[in-house]
Amino acid sequence: MSTVEKFPQGAPAWVDLQSPDPGASKTFYSALFGWQYTDSTSSAQGSYATATIGGVPVAAIAGQTPEAVEAGVPTAWNTYFAVDDLDATLEKVIPAGGLIVMPATDVPGSGRMAAIEDGVGTPLLLWESGQHTGAGLINEPGTIVWHELAADNWDHAVPFYLNVLGGEAHEEQVDGGTFTMLKAAGMYVAGFKEPETEDKSPRWEVYFGTEDTDAAVVIAQKGGGTVLREPVDIPGVGRMAMLQDPHGAIFWVLQEPAVQG
């Protein structure tokens, strides 16, 4: 099992979902990934429930505020990037062409966070860990396994992440084209691509591991989800499908290739 004690600077460390009906969302994802939920709380921002596998935190489902629901704020998975020093990182955001949406905020007993937009308008969050370092388990079925920025002008966003979060960019030839990936502490942690839906709004898309992509698609559909991209095999990567939950949040499922003995 791929357990994690601390994420390096610039690596995606956590994801949460903002849903107008967190109870229904919990049911949907529990059926899909086998999640259980703990540490449910209520605040001015609504409920917040940590999804766990074997008692280990892997994601969270939050309730949207009534104001957000009334305003029609889209339901979405949010990606949090780990930073060692939140204040120092925020000082780099505006010079790099980004925007600070929410300044540094303490999350008592957990850490500190801020909401920003990158150089092409993609929303993301920064996380300086305290007691909560992020996902305790990754790269397993039901956990986050990959992240990709989907934007028409994604190439203009790459310098932002290098300047603000550090790390390095790496290009690899895939299917006759070039795929750019972000590295943090020498590890590949995210990629960049063109949008694959009619909605071209820039967004970070999260990939969750699954033991069987085709079975996951069936479960998602039975739960009221929608298939946006049918299952497809990517050599060396695995079998993946793009899904949308009943409230509109987009995500991927990825079944890694079987290990040859």
Side-chain angles (χ1 to χ4, degrees), residues 120 122 149-157 192-203:
V120 298
T122 316
L149 173 63
D152 280 330
N153 50 352
W154 63 262
D155 52 323
H156 295 291
F192 302 86
K193 67 176 183 180
E194 299 288 333
E196 298 183 52
T197 62
E198 292 183 2
D199 179 6
K200 302 300 181 182
S201 302
R203 62 176 174 265

Side-chain angles (χ1 to χ4, degrees), residues 147-164:
H147 304 260
E148 284 181 347
L149 173 63
D152 280 330
N153 50 352
W154 63 262
D155 52 323
H156 295 291
V158 176
F160 175 88
Y161 290 92
L162 302 183
N163 292 330
V164 174

Side-chain angles (χ1 to χ4, degrees), residues 6-12 84 165-168 182-189:
K6 183 176 176 60
F7 288 86
Q9 166 83 22
D84 297 328
L165 298 178
E168 59 183 299
L182 186 67
K183 297 181 73 174
M187 300 181 296
Y188 295 107
V189 296

Side-chain angles (χ1 to χ4, degrees), residues 9 95 105 142 150 154 177 186 195 204 213 221 234:
Q9 166 83 22
T105 303
W154 63 262
W204 276 99
T213 292
Q221 289 177 310
I234 306 297

Side-chain angles (χ1 to χ4, degrees), residues 38-110:
T38 61
D39 301 328
S40 295
T41 59
S42 294
S43 67
Q45 287 72 43
S47 63
Y48 197 88
T50 300
T52 65
I53 292 181
V56 181
V58 296
I61 294 177
Q64 286 183 316
T65 63
E67 293 79 10
V69 175
E70 184 177 348
V73 175
T75 305
W77 279 100
N78 305 301
T79 297
Y80 293 67
F81 283 80
V83 297
D84 297 328
D85 186 327
L86 181 57
D87 296 316
T89 303
L90 286 174
E91 290 179 358
K92 302 176 182 178
V93 171
I94 294 177
L99 177 67
I100 297 175
V101 178
M102 183 186 75
T105 303
D106 291 327
V107 182
S110 297

Side-chain angles (χ1 to χ4, degrees), residues 2 8-9 33 41 46 90 108 116 122 127-128 140 157 170 177 188-189:
S2 301
Q9 166 83 22
F33 298 130
T41 59
L90 286 174
I116 67 172
T122 316
W127 181 254
E128 179 185 332
E140 300 285 346
H170 175 78
Y188 295 107
V189 296

